[in-house]
Amino acid sequence: QVQLVESGGGLVQAGGSLRLSCAASGRTFSTYTMAWFRQAPGKEREFVARISRSGITTYPVDSVKGRFTISRDNAKNTVYLQMNSLKPEDTAVYYCAATYGSAYSNQADYNYWGQGTQVTVSS
C-alpha cells in the first residue's frame, strides 16, 4: 500500500550536516506515522525519530536528541531527517518507516520500510 524511497545519504565529515528525504507513494500519507531508524554493520536496528500525523515528534533520550530533526510535508508526501553535528558513530544505513495510525519507537510496529540510504561520517 505504501512505498518508501530514501535519498540524501552520502559521505560527510564529522561536524557536518545531511538532510535525508523519504518519498512516499500512497493515497493516505497524511494518516501515517512516519519514522527513521538506522542500522550499523553488525548492530541492531535502532530508533532515530518519529513524527505523528499531527506533527508531534519523538526522539531517543540520548544519541541523536538535539542534533536530529524529523519533519514532514504532507503536500509532497515526504518526510525529512535533518542531521546536524554528525559524528562517526552516526554512520549507518538509515531507513524510513511508516504505519497506519499511531506508533512510537518500536520497529515492530511499522508495516512499511524503505530500502535505506547510507550515511558515512568520517573523522
Side-chain angles (χ1 to χ4, degrees):
Q1 291 185 305
V2 178
Q3 297 178 352
L4 307 174
V5 180
E6 303 96 334
S7 63
L11 175 65
V12 65
Q13 291 184 326
S17 299
L18 283 175
R19 183 180 176 88
L20 305 183
S21 298
C22 175
S25 63
R27 306 166 304 282
T28 57
F29 174 80
S30 63
T31 70
Y32 281 78
T33 295
M34 305 296 298
W36 289 94
F37 292 79
R38 68 185 182 186
Q39 187 167 23
K43 297 183 179 180
E44 295 293 319
R45 189 170 299 182
E46 67 175 347
F47 170 71
V48 174
R50 76 104 201 190
I51 185 167
S52 74
R53 61 182 182 176
S54 62
I56 300 173
T57 59
T58 302
Y59 303 94
V61 176
D62 300 317
S63 183
V64 308
K65 186 176 178 61
R67 298 187 298 120
F68 291 7
T69 302
I70 187 172
S71 62
R72 68 192 297 161
D73 186 338
N74 290 342
K76 297 181 178 180
N77 278 22
T78 302
V79 64
Y80 305 95
L81 183 68
Q82 178 66 47
M83 305 185 294
N84 299 324
S85 301
L86 285 163
K87 306 174 181 179
E89 52 262 43
D90 294 320
T91 296
V93 176
Y94 284 71
Y95 297 92
C96 179
T99 192
Y100 288 108
S102 63
Y104 296 92
S105 61
N106 189 350
Q107 63 177 318
D109 291 336
Y110 292 86
N111 298 323
Y112 307 102
W113 294 82
Q115 294 299 307
T117 185
Q118 177 70 48
V119 172
T120 302
V121 184
S122 62
S123 60

